[in-house]
Amino acid sequence: MLGAVAASTALCFSPSTHPTRTFVHRGVSNSTLPLSNHGHSFSLLSSTPMHFSSHSSRRQPLFLAQAASSSAANAEYVEEPATKVKFQTCLNFPGCSNSLTLFGAGYREKVFAIIGVKVYAAGLYLDQSITPELNAWKGLSKDAIQGNSSLFQTIFQSSFEKSLQIILVRDVDGQTFWDALSDAIAPRIPASTSVDETALTTFRGVFLDRPLKKGTFILLTWLNPTKLLVSVSPNGFPSTVDATIESANVASALFNVFLGDNPVSHSLKSSVAEGLSKVLK
């Protein structure tokens, strides 16, 4: 995955036959990285290219400490192999006090009439300072980490900032996106409170009557145990926060949807497990 290897070396970022690659782009400025996925659409198929941020890494991620990048101005990306979406390895997220590092990336697929349709790619970003909190799992393999609920629960409960970056690879109606997310969140909050209901209403309002075009960025940033920031942009990496969700239960349930015992994206959790295994050697 994101091991200490040269930037041009093929990396196994998920349990896929496709290799994951780290890309180094020098002098990136308002770059456009188009998607090459075509086929069945979630609604209408869009050919609009995806615009990526030209945000350069301010510091070398732990994963890439020995990568062949000698310039701080280099913008480094990791490609999610199934969707070809490129995730920048180090980013400053709206509302965060520190830059966050990519720990893994995967994709979400829905099945329609036995045909699997990829809907979005997702990447997990963590504050590197969380690493000492995970020392109890040093030396575990990727498979051991992937099946370790307590490790992921420690990540959920940590006060360090973390974020899920979602990039759509199909057009999706906002209501449809929210309904799918809500259906996954609801059973993970067994005793919903009025605070949780208010938070879910706010969360829902971000997506209602909002078409989500191919290439749209959605950031779900867990700022602290009780606060989640939601940012959405159809035109590149978001620079502002669209909504603040204030509920520890909702934030925890959301991250459990992606990284819990029954994740909606097994490829994402597998990739994150591999990233953690590299850091916790």
Side-chain angles (χ1 to χ4, degrees), residues 64-115:
L64 303 172
Q66 298 177 22
S69 169
S70 58
S71 171
N74 288 339
E76 293 162 341
Y77 297 85
V78 169
E79 182 179 273
E80 194 291 306
T83 58
K84 307 302 182 186
V85 170
K86 296 174 178 65
F87 287 89
Q88 199 161 313
T89 58
C90 192
L91 283 169
N92 286 323
F93 287 79
C96 283
S97 57
N98 296 309
S99 60
L100 304 183
T101 299
L102 180 69
F103 271 62
Y107 64 93
R108 174 75 165 114
E109 187 174 67
K110 293 288 287 182
V111 177
F112 299 93
I114 75 170
I115 298 174

mmCIF file of all heavy atoms in Angstrom, residues 64-115:
data_model
loop_
_atom_site.group_PDB
_atom_site.id
_atom_site.type_symbol
_atom_site.label_atom_id
_atom_site.label_comp_id
_atom_site.label_asym_id
_atom_site.label_seq_id
_atom_site.Cartn_x
_atom_site.Cartn_y
_atom_site.Cartn_z
ATOM 1 N N LEU A 64 4.996 7.748 3.435
ATOM 2 C CA LEU A 64 5.835 8.046 2.284
ATOM 3 C C LEU A 64 7.174 8.629 2.700
ATOM 4 O O LEU A 64 7.793 9.370 1.960
ATOM 5 C CB LEU A 64 5.097 9.032 1.365
ATOM 6 C CG LEU A 64 3.741 8.544 0.881
ATOM 7 C CD1 LEU A 64 3.019 9.660 0.155
ATOM 8 C CD2 LEU A 64 3.890 7.336 -0.016
ATOM 9 N N ALA A 65 7.613 8.301 3.895
ATOM 10 C CA ALA A 65 8.822 8.908 4.435
ATOM 11 C C ALA A 65 10.034 8.668 3.556
ATOM 12 O O ALA A 65 10.949 9.479 3.517
ATOM 13 C CB ALA A 65 9.085 8.370 5.836
ATOM 14 N N GLN A 66 10.048 7.539 2.847
ATOM 15 C CA GLN A 66 11.185 7.241 1.993
ATOM 16 C C GLN A 66 10.803 7.256 0.509
ATOM 17 O O GLN A 66 11.505 6.697 -0.326
ATOM 18 C CB GLN A 66 11.771 5.865 2.364
ATOM 19 C CG GLN A 66 12.282 5.820 3.785
ATOM 20 C CD GLN A 66 12.776 4.442 4.158
ATOM 21 O OE1 GLN A 66 13.124 3.641 3.292
ATOM 22 N NE2 GLN A 66 12.808 4.149 5.442
ATOM 23 N N ALA A 67 9.657 7.870 0.203
ATOM 24 C CA ALA A 67 9.245 7.951 -1.204
ATOM 25 C C ALA A 67 10.204 8.852 -1.974
ATOM 26 O O ALA A 67 10.866 9.705 -1.413
ATOM 27 C CB ALA A 67 7.822 8.494 -1.306
ATOM 28 N N ALA A 68 10.227 8.638 -3.272
ATOM 29 C CA ALA A 68 11.172 9.399 -4.097
ATOM 30 C C ALA A 68 10.632 10.785 -4.388
ATOM 31 O O ALA A 68 10.404 11.167 -5.524
ATOM 32 C CB ALA A 68 11.433 8.651 -5.395
ATOM 33 N N SER A 69 10.433 11.558 -3.328
ATOM 34 C CA SER A 69 9.957 12.920 -3.480
ATOM 35 C C SER A 69 10.836 13.812 -2.634
ATOM 36 O O SER A 69 10.854 13.694 -1.426
ATOM 37 C CB SER A 69 8.498 13.027 -3.029
ATOM 38 O OG SER A 69 8.120 14.376 -2.934
ATOM 39 N N SER A 70 11.578 14.680 -3.261
ATOM 40 C CA SER A 70 12.510 15.517 -2.518
ATOM 41 C C SER A 70 12.017 16.942 -2.386
ATOM 42 O O SER A 70 12.637 17.752 -1.718
ATOM 43 C CB SER A 70 13.873 15.515 -3.222
ATOM 44 O OG SER A 70 13.744 15.984 -4.542
ATOM 45 N N SER A 71 10.899 17.259 -3.013
ATOM 46 C CA SER A 71 10.402 18.628 -2.979
ATOM 47 C C SER A 71 9.092 18.706 -2.241
ATOM 48 O O SER A 71 8.165 17.952 -2.481
ATOM 49 C CB SER A 71 10.201 19.140 -4.413
ATOM 50 O OG SER A 71 9.530 20.380 -4.402
ATOM 51 N N ALA A 72 8.992 19.665 -1.306
ATOM 52 C CA ALA A 72 7.752 19.842 -0.550
ATOM 53 C C ALA A 72 6.638 20.360 -1.436
ATOM 54 O O ALA A 72 5.472 20.336 -1.060
ATOM 55 C CB ALA A 72 7.981 20.814 0.607
ATOM 56 N N ALA A 73 7.000 20.842 -2.625
ATOM 57 C CA ALA A 73 5.982 21.372 -3.537
ATOM 58 C C ALA A 73 5.305 20.275 -4.339
ATOM 59 O O ALA A 73 4.335 20.518 -5.036
ATOM 60 C CB ALA A 73 6.615 22.379 -4.492
ATOM 61 N N ASN A 74 5.799 19.050 -4.251
ATOM 62 C CA ASN A 74 5.186 17.950 -4.992
ATOM 63 C C ASN A 74 3.825 17.614 -4.414
ATOM 64 O O ASN A 74 3.659 17.514 -3.213
ATOM 65 C CB ASN A 74 6.066 16.702 -4.926
ATOM 66 C CG ASN A 74 7.325 16.855 -5.765
ATOM 67 O OD1 ASN A 74 7.368 17.672 -6.668
ATOM 68 N ND2 ASN A 74 8.341 16.070 -5.439
ATOM 69 N N ALA A 75 2.847 17.413 -5.272
ATOM 70 C CA ALA A 75 1.528 16.958 -4.839
ATOM 71 C C ALA A 75 1.460 15.466 -5.120
ATOM 72 O O ALA A 75 1.546 15.046 -6.259
ATOM 73 C CB ALA A 75 0.435 17.702 -5.590
ATOM 74 N N GLU A 76 1.327 14.659 -4.097
ATOM 75 C CA GLU A 76 1.369 13.212 -4.259
ATOM 76 C C GLU A 76 -0.036 12.639 -4.174
ATOM 77 O O GLU A 76 -0.839 13.057 -3.338
ATOM 78 C CB GLU A 76 2.270 12.601 -3.191
ATOM 79 C CG GLU A 76 3.732 12.996 -3.376
ATOM 80 C CD GLU A 76 4.565 12.776 -2.132
ATOM 81 O OE1 GLU A 76 3.970 12.673 -1.046
ATOM 82 O OE2 GLU A 76 5.785 12.716 -2.260
ATOM 83 N N TYR A 77 -0.294 11.652 -5.007
ATOM 84 C CA TYR A 77 -1.601 11.040 -5.078
ATOM 85 C C TYR A 77 -1.484 9.526 -5.040
ATOM 86 O O TYR A 77 -0.504 8.950 -5.481
ATOM 87 C CB TYR A 77 -2.314 11.434 -6.379
ATOM 88 C CG TYR A 77 -2.592 12.909 -6.521
ATOM 89 C CD1 TYR A 77 -1.617 13.764 -7.038
ATOM 90 C CD2 TYR A 77 -3.815 13.438 -6.148
ATOM 91 C CE1 TYR A 77 -1.852 15.117 -7.161
ATOM 92 C CE2 TYR A 77 -4.061 14.801 -6.277
ATOM 93 C CZ TYR A 77 -3.084 15.634 -6.779
ATOM 94 O OH TYR A 77 -3.318 16.974 -6.891
ATOM 95 N N VAL A 78 -2.514 8.879 -4.524
ATOM 96 C CA VAL A 78 -2.639 7.426 -4.584
ATOM 97 C C VAL A 78 -3.903 7.108 -5.359
ATOM 98 O O VAL A 78 -4.959 7.689 -5.114
ATOM 99 C CB VAL A 78 -2.693 6.810 -3.170
ATOM 100 C CG1 VAL A 78 -3.101 5.351 -3.229
ATOM 101 C CG2 VAL A 78 -1.344 6.944 -2.486
ATOM 102 N N GLU A 79 -3.804 6.199 -6.307
ATOM 103 C CA GLU A 79 -4.944 5.851 -7.143
ATOM 104 C C GLU A 79 -5.712 4.670 -6.566
ATOM 105 O O GLU A 79 -5.143 3.627 -6.274
ATOM 106 C CB GLU A 79 -4.469 5.509 -8.551
ATOM 107 C CG GLU A 79 -5.608 5.172 -9.516
ATOM 108 C CD GLU A 79 -5.077 4.855 -10.897
ATOM 109 O OE1 GLU A 79 -4.902 5.802 -11.697
ATOM 110 O OE2 GLU A 79 -4.827 3.665 -11.169
ATOM 111 N N GLU A 80 -7.020 4.840 -6.395
ATOM 112 C CA GLU A 80 -7.886 3.728 -6.007
ATOM 113 C C GLU A 80 -8.093 2.908 -7.280
ATOM 114 O O GLU A 80 -8.624 3.413 -8.261
ATOM 115 C CB GLU A 80 -9.215 4.259 -5.457
ATOM 116 C CG GLU A 80 -10.068 3.233 -4.724
ATOM 117 C CD GLU A 80 -10.646 2.177 -5.652
ATOM 118 O OE1 GLU A 80 -11.298 2.557 -6.640
ATOM 119 O OE2 GLU A 80 -10.419 0.974 -5.377
ATOM 120 N N PRO A 81 -7.685 1.633 -7.303
ATOM 121 C CA PRO A 81 -7.575 0.906 -8.571
ATOM 122 C C PRO A 81 -8.880 0.604 -9.289
ATOM 123 O O PRO A 81 -8.911 0.586 -10.510
ATOM 124 C CB PRO A 81 -6.862 -0.392 -8.171
ATOM 125 C CG PRO A 81 -7.127 -0.546 -6.715
ATOM 126 C CD PRO A 81 -7.190 0.841 -6.158
ATOM 127 N N ALA A 82 -9.964 0.366 -8.549
ATOM 128 C CA ALA A 82 -11.212 -0.029 -9.208
ATOM 129 C C ALA A 82 -11.881 1.127 -9.937
ATOM 130 O O ALA A 82 -12.540 0.940 -10.957
ATOM 131 C CB ALA A 82 -12.173 -0.636 -8.188
ATOM 132 N N THR A 83 -11.723 2.356 -9.405
ATOM 133 C CA THR A 83 -12.390 3.523 -9.984
ATOM 134 C C THR A 83 -11.419 4.463 -10.697
ATOM 135 O O THR A 83 -11.851 5.372 -11.397
ATOM 136 C CB THR A 83 -13.102 4.326 -8.887
ATOM 137 O OG1 THR A 83 -12.126 4.723 -7.909
ATOM 138 C CG2 THR A 83 -14.196 3.495 -8.217
ATOM 139 N N LYS A 84 -10.131 4.271 -10.464
ATOM 140 C CA LYS A 84 -9.077 5.141 -11.005
ATOM 141 C C LYS A 84 -9.108 6.540 -10.398
ATOM 142 O O LYS A 84 -8.473 7.471 -10.916
ATOM 143 C CB LYS A 84 -9.160 5.260 -12.537
ATOM 144 C CG LYS A 84 -9.195 3.925 -13.262
ATOM 145 C CD LYS A 84 -8.002 3.059 -12.950
ATOM 146 C CE LYS A 84 -8.036 1.748 -13.716
ATOM 147 N NZ LYS A 84 -6.958 0.829 -13.328
ATOM 148 N N VAL A 85 -9.826 6.712 -9.310
ATOM 149 C CA VAL A 85 -9.848 8.007 -8.621
ATOM 150 C C VAL A 85 -8.534 8.187 -7.871
ATOM 151 O O VAL A 85 -8.038 7.260 -7.239
ATOM 152 C CB VAL A 85 -11.034 8.090 -7.643
ATOM 153 C CG1 VAL A 85 -10.917 9.329 -6.749
ATOM 154 C CG2 VAL A 85 -12.345 8.129 -8.410
ATOM 155 N N LYS A 86 -7.985 9.379 -7.931
ATOM 156 C CA LYS A 86 -6.713 9.682 -7.283
ATOM 157 C C LYS A 86 -6.950 10.497 -6.012
ATOM 158 O O LYS A 86 -7.589 11.542 -6.050
ATOM 159 C CB LYS A 86 -5.795 10.413 -8.251
ATOM 160 C CG LYS A 86 -5.405 9.568 -9.467
ATOM 161 C CD LYS A 86 -4.610 10.357 -10.470
ATOM 162 C CE LYS A 86 -4.197 9.484 -11.658
ATOM 163 N NZ LYS A 86 -5.350 9.019 -12.458
ATOM 164 N N PHE A 87 -6.395 10.006 -4.911
ATOM 165 C CA PHE A 87 -6.525 10.673 -3.612
ATOM 166 C C PHE A 87 -5.188 11.296 -3.228
ATOM 167 O O PHE A 87 -4.158 10.623 -3.234
ATOM 168 C CB PHE A 87 -6.948 9.676 -2.538
ATOM 169 C CG PHE A 87 -8.374 9.230 -2.642
ATOM 170 C CD1 PHE A 87 -8.717 8.127 -3.414
ATOM 171 C CD2 PHE A 87 -9.381 9.916 -1.982
ATOM 172 C CE1 PHE A 87 -10.040 7.714 -3.519
ATOM 173 C CE2 PHE A 87 -10.705 9.518 -2.085
ATOM 174 C CZ PHE A 87 -11.035 8.415 -2.851
ATOM 175 N N GLN A 88 -5.226 12.566 -2.881
ATOM 176 C CA GLN A 88 -4.009 13.219 -2.434
ATOM 177 C C GLN A 88 -3.616 12.650 -1.071
ATOM 178 O O GLN A 88 -4.474 12.392 -0.221
ATOM 179 C CB GLN A 88 -4.233 14.733 -2.349
ATOM 180 C CG GLN A 88 -2.948 15.526 -2.341
ATOM 181 C CD GLN A 88 -3.170 16.979 -2.709
ATOM 182 O OE1 GLN A 88 -3.863 17.279 -3.681
ATOM 183 N NE2 GLN A 88 -2.589 17.878 -1.935
ATOM 184 N N THR A 89 -2.342 12.444 -0.848
ATOM 185 C CA THR A 89 -1.900 11.747 0.358
ATOM 186 C C THR A 89 -1.911 12.598 1.620
ATOM 187 O O THR A 89 -1.911 12.063 2.727
ATOM 188 C CB THR A 89 -0.481 11.182 0.166
ATOM 189 O OG1 THR A 89 0.406 12.250 -0.156
ATOM 190 C CG2 THR A 89 -0.457 10.138 -0.935
ATOM 191 N N CYS A 90 -1.915 13.905 1.477
ATOM 192 C CA CYS A 90 -1.912 14.786 2.648
ATOM 193 C C CYS A 90 -2.733 16.026 2.311
ATOM 194 O O CYS A 90 -2.493 16.661 1.287
ATOM 195 C CB CYS A 90 -0.477 15.161 3.006
ATOM 196 S SG CYS A 90 -0.304 15.968 4.608
ATOM 197 N N LEU A 91 -3.717 16.335 3.161
ATOM 198 C CA LEU A 91 -4.646 17.426 2.853
ATOM 199 C C LEU A 91 -4.983 18.232 4.098
ATOM 200 O O LEU A 91 -4.992 17.705 5.214
ATOM 201 C CB LEU A 91 -5.954 16.873 2.271
ATOM 202 C CG LEU A 91 -5.957 16.415 0.819
ATOM 203 C CD1 LEU A 91 -7.250 15.651 0.512
ATOM 204 C CD2 LEU A 91 -5.819 17.612 -0.120
ATOM 205 N N ASN A 92 -5.304 19.501 3.891
ATOM 206 C CA ASN A 92 -5.889 20.333 4.931
ATOM 207 C C ASN A 92 -7.396 20.387 4.675
ATOM 208 O O ASN A 92 -7.836 20.888 3.638
ATOM 209 C CB ASN A 92 -5.302 21.746 4.902
ATOM 210 C CG ASN A 92 -3.886 21.786 5.435
ATOM 211 O OD1 ASN A 92 -3.554 21.075 6.375
ATOM 212 N ND2 ASN A 92 -3.038 22.600 4.823
ATOM 213 N N PHE A 93 -8.177 19.863 5.588
ATOM 214 C CA PHE A 93 -9.625 19.811 5.433
ATOM 215 C C PHE A 93 -10.275 21.037 6.071
ATOM 216 O O PHE A 93 -9.800 21.528 7.095
ATOM 217 C CB PHE A 93 -10.180 18.540 6.085
ATOM 218 C CG PHE A 93 -9.881 17.285 5.319
ATOM 219 C CD1 PHE A 93 -8.637 16.687 5.390
ATOM 220 C CD2 PHE A 93 -10.854 16.700 4.509
ATOM 221 C CE1 PHE A 93 -8.347 15.533 4.668
ATOM 222 C CE2 PHE A 93 -10.580 15.547 3.788
ATOM 223 C CZ PHE A 93 -9.328 14.963 3.870
ATOM 224 N N PRO A 94 -11.377 21.531 5.485
ATOM 225 C CA PRO A 94 -12.071 22.678 6.072
ATOM 226 C C PRO A 94 -12.433 22.412 7.541
ATOM 227 O O PRO A 94 -12.999 21.382 7.872
ATOM 228 C CB PRO A 94 -13.342 22.792 5.219
ATOM 229 C CG PRO A 94 -12.974 22.171 3.916
ATOM 230 C CD PRO A 94 -12.032 21.052 4.247
ATOM 231 N N GLY A 95 -12.051 23.337 8.406
ATOM 232 C CA GLY A 95 -12.383 23.225 9.819
ATOM 233 C C GLY A 95 -11.352 22.501 10.656
ATOM 234 O O GLY A 95 -11.422 22.540 11.890
ATOM 235 N N CYS A 96 -10.394 21.825 10.018
ATOM 236 C CA CYS A 96 -9.382 21.070 10.757
ATOM 237 C C CYS A 96 -8.207 21.970 11.147
ATOM 238 O O CYS A 96 -7.849 22.893 10.424
ATOM 239 C CB CYS A 96 -8.860 19.896 9.931
ATOM 240 S SG CYS A 96 -9.981 18.500 9.868
ATOM 241 N N SER A 97 -7.601 21.659 12.286
ATOM 242 C CA SER A 97 -6.459 22.433 12.751
ATOM 243 C C SER A 97 -5.141 21.896 12.219
ATOM 244 O O SER A 97 -4.142 22.612 12.205
ATOM 245 C CB SER A 97 -6.427 22.443 14.288
ATOM 246 O OG SER A 97 -6.391 21.124 14.805
ATOM 247 N N ASN A 98 -5.118 20.622 11.801
ATOM 248 C CA ASN A 98 -3.900 20.001 11.280
ATOM 249 C C ASN A 98 -4.177 19.342 9.935
ATOM 250 O O ASN A 98 -5.322 18.992 9.626
ATOM 251 C CB ASN A 98 -3.376 18.937 12.248
ATOM 252 C CG ASN A 98 -2.962 19.521 13.578
ATOM 253 O OD1 ASN A 98 -2.206 20.482 13.638
ATOM 254 N ND2 ASN A 98 -3.477 18.953 14.660
ATOM 255 N N SER A 99 -3.127 19.156 9.149
ATOM 256 C CA SER A 99 -3.282 18.398 7.912
ATOM 257 C C SER A 99 -3.490 16.927 8.265
ATOM 258 O O SER A 99 -2.994 16.443 9.287
ATOM 259 C CB SER A 99 -2.051 18.564 7.015
ATOM 260 O OG SER A 99 -0.884 18.113 7.660
ATOM 261 N N LEU A 100 -4.225 16.212 7.432
ATOM 262 C CA LEU A 100 -4.528 14.804 7.653
ATOM 263 C C LEU A 100 -3.904 13.966 6.552
ATOM 264 O O LEU A 100 -3.732 14.427 5.423
ATOM 265 C CB LEU A 100 -6.043 14.578 7.692
ATOM 266 C CG LEU A 100 -6.836 15.396 8.723
ATOM 267 C CD1 LEU A 100 -8.318 14.999 8.686
ATOM 268 C CD2 LEU A 100 -6.273 15.227 10.121
ATOM 269 N N THR A 101 -3.586 12.717 6.893
ATOM 270 C CA THR A 101 -2.873 11.813 5.986
ATOM 271 C C THR A 101 -3.763 10.661 5.543
ATOM 272 O O THR A 101 -4.500 10.100 6.353
ATOM 273 C CB THR A 101 -1.620 11.249 6.693
ATOM 274 O OG1 THR A 101 -0.761 12.336 7.025
ATOM 275 C CG2 THR A 101 -0.863 10.277 5.801
ATOM 276 N N LEU A 102 -3.677 10.320 4.281
ATOM 277 C CA LEU A 102 -4.451 9.207 3.730
ATOM 278 C C LEU A 102 -3.955 7.878 4.294
ATOM 279 O O LEU A 102 -2.772 7.562 4.209
ATOM 280 C CB LEU A 102 -4.325 9.209 2.204
ATOM 281 C CG LEU A 102 -5.085 8.105 1.456
ATOM 282 C CD1 LEU A 102 -6.591 8.326 1.555
ATOM 283 C CD2 LEU A 102 -4.650 8.069 -0.012
ATOM 284 N N PHE A 103 -4.878 7.074 4.848
ATOM 285 C CA PHE A 103 -4.534 5.762 5.371
ATOM 286 C C PHE A 103 -5.079 4.624 4.502
ATOM 287 O O PHE A 103 -4.727 3.468 4.717
ATOM 288 C CB PHE A 103 -5.063 5.604 6.806
ATOM 289 C CG PHE A 103 -4.104 6.054 7.865
ATOM 290 C CD1 PHE A 103 -3.684 7.370 7.935
ATOM 291 C CD2 PHE A 103 -3.608 5.162 8.796
ATOM 292 C CE1 PHE A 103 -2.797 7.802 8.913
ATOM 293 C CE2 PHE A 103 -2.713 5.573 9.777
ATOM 294 C CZ PHE A 103 -2.308 6.900 9.837
ATOM 295 N N GLY A 104 -5.951 4.925 3.560
ATOM 296 C CA GLY A 104 -6.476 3.877 2.705
ATOM 297 C C GLY A 104 -7.614 4.400 1.843
ATOM 298 O O GLY A 104 -8.220 5.429 2.140
ATOM 299 N N ALA A 105 -7.895 3.699 0.753
ATOM 300 C CA ALA A 105 -8.966 4.103 -0.157
ATOM 301 C C ALA A 105 -9.639 2.876 -0.750
ATOM 302 O O ALA A 105 -9.004 1.845 -0.974
ATOM 303 C CB ALA A 105 -8.421 4.996 -1.275
ATOM 304 N N GLY A 106 -10.939 2.984 -1.000
ATOM 305 C CA GLY A 106 -11.700 1.892 -1.597
ATOM 306 C C GLY A 106 -12.872 2.451 -2.366
ATOM 307 O O GLY A 106 -12.920 3.651 -2.674
ATOM 308 N N TYR A 107 -13.855 1.612 -2.666
ATOM 309 C CA TYR A 107 -14.987 2.075 -3.455
ATOM 310 C C TYR A 107 -16.289 1.466 -2.926
ATOM 311 O O TYR A 107 -16.291 0.443 -2.231
ATOM 312 C CB TYR A 107 -14.816 1.717 -4.936
ATOM 313 C CG TYR A 107 -14.792 0.224 -5.202
ATOM 314 C CD1 TYR A 107 -15.959 -0.470 -5.535
ATOM 315 C CD2 TYR A 107 -13.608 -0.503 -5.107
ATOM 316 C CE1 TYR A 107 -15.947 -1.841 -5.759
ATOM 317 C CE2 TYR A 107 -13.582 -1.862 -5.324
ATOM 318 C CZ TYR A 107 -14.756 -2.528 -5.652
ATOM 319 O OH TYR A 107 -14.742 -3.881 -5.865
ATOM 320 N N ARG A 108 -17.389 2.100 -3.277
ATOM 321 C CA ARG A 108 -18.730 1.636 -2.921
ATOM 322 C C ARG A 108 -19.428 1.185 -4.183
ATOM 323 O O ARG A 108 -19.439 1.897 -5.191
ATOM 324 C CB ARG A 108 -19.528 2.763 -2.270
ATOM 325 C CG ARG A 108 -20.997 2.435 -1.985
ATOM 326 C CD ARG A 108 -21.135 1.521 -0.792
ATOM 327 N NE ARG A 108 -22.503 1.481 -0.302
ATOM 328 C CZ ARG A 108 -23.283 0.405 -0.331
ATOM 329 N NH1 ARG A 108 -22.843 -0.722 -0.871
ATOM 330 N NH2 ARG A 108 -24.503 0.437 0.177
ATOM 331 N N GLU A 109 -19.990 -0.006 -4.145
ATOM 332 C CA GLU A 109 -20.673 -0.572 -5.298
ATOM 333 C C GLU A 109 -22.092 -0.964 -4.928
ATOM 334 O O GLU A 109 -22.339 -1.497 -3.850
ATOM 335 C CB GLU A 109 -19.906 -1.795 -5.793
ATOM 336 C CG GLU A 109 -20.417 -2.380 -7.093
ATOM 337 C CD GLU A 109 -19.509 -3.501 -7.589
ATOM 338 O OE1 GLU A 109 -19.453 -4.541 -6.909
ATOM 339 O OE2 GLU A 109 -18.869 -3.333 -8.634
ATOM 340 N N LYS A 110 -23.034 -0.673 -5.797
ATOM 341 C CA LYS A 110 -24.425 -1.113 -5.645
ATOM 342 C C LYS A 110 -24.740 -2.086 -6.767
ATOM 343 O O LYS A 110 -24.243 -1.955 -7.885
ATOM 344 C CB LYS A 110 -25.387 0.075 -5.707
ATOM 345 C CG LYS A 110 -25.253 1.027 -4.534
ATOM 346 C CD LYS A 110 -25.796 0.447 -3.241
ATOM 347 C CE LYS A 110 -27.305 0.399 -3.242
ATOM 348 N NZ LYS A 110 -27.847 -0.112 -1.963
ATOM 349 N N VAL A 111 -25.590 -3.049 -6.461
ATOM 350 C CA VAL A 111 -25.959 -4.051 -7.460
ATOM 351 C C VAL A 111 -27.370 -3.772 -7.965
ATOM 352 O O VAL A 111 -28.315 -3.657 -7.178
ATOM 353 C CB VAL A 111 -25.883 -5.476 -6.871
ATOM 354 C CG1 VAL A 111 -26.349 -6.497 -7.910
ATOM 355 C CG2 VAL A 111 -24.461 -5.788 -6.415
ATOM 356 N N PHE A 112 -27.496 -3.639 -9.266
ATOM 357 C CA PHE A 112 -28.782 -3.433 -9.916
ATOM 358 C C PHE A 112 -28.976 -4.532 -10.953
ATOM 359 O O PHE A 112 -28.203 -4.636 -11.906
ATOM 360 C CB PHE A 112 -28.841 -2.059 -10.596
ATOM 361 C CG PHE A 112 -28.685 -0.907 -9.651
ATOM 362 C CD1 PHE A 112 -27.441 -0.349 -9.420
ATOM 363 C CD2 PHE A 112 -29.773 -0.393 -8.971
ATOM 364 C CE1 PHE A 112 -27.276 0.709 -8.549
ATOM 365 C CE2 PHE A 112 -29.626 0.667 -8.092
ATOM 366 C CZ PHE A 112 -28.384 1.216 -7.887
ATOM 367 N N ALA A 113 -29.999 -5.367 -10.754
ATOM 368 C CA ALA A 113 -30.287 -6.450 -11.702
ATOM 369 C C ALA A 113 -29.031 -7.280 -11.982
ATOM 370 O O ALA A 113 -28.657 -7.491 -13.130
ATOM 371 C CB ALA A 113 -30.877 -5.893 -12.994
ATOM 372 N N ILE A 114 -28.356 -7.667 -10.915
ATOM 373 C CA ILE A 114 -27.143 -8.494 -10.867
ATOM 374 C C ILE A 114 -25.906 -7.807 -11.446
ATOM 375 O O ILE A 114 -24.853 -8.416 -11.548
ATOM 376 C CB ILE A 114 -27.337 -9.880 -11.541
ATOM 377 C CG1 ILE A 114 -27.345 -9.764 -13.069
ATOM 378 C CG2 ILE A 114 -28.574 -10.590 -11.024
ATOM 379 C CD1 ILE A 114 -27.297 -11.105 -13.781
ATOM 380 N N ILE A 115 -26.051 -6.539 -11.816
ATOM 381 C CA ILE A 115 -24.908 -5.794 -12.350
ATOM 382 C C ILE A 115 -24.358 -4.888 -11.256
ATOM 383 O O ILE A 115 -25.080 -4.080 -10.679
ATOM 384 C CB ILE A 115 -25.306 -4.950 -13.572
ATOM 385 C CG1 ILE A 115 -25.792 -5.853 -14.707
ATOM 386 C CG2 ILE A 115 -24.123 -4.097 -14.041
ATOM 387 C CD1 ILE A 115 -26.334 -5.104 -15.902
#
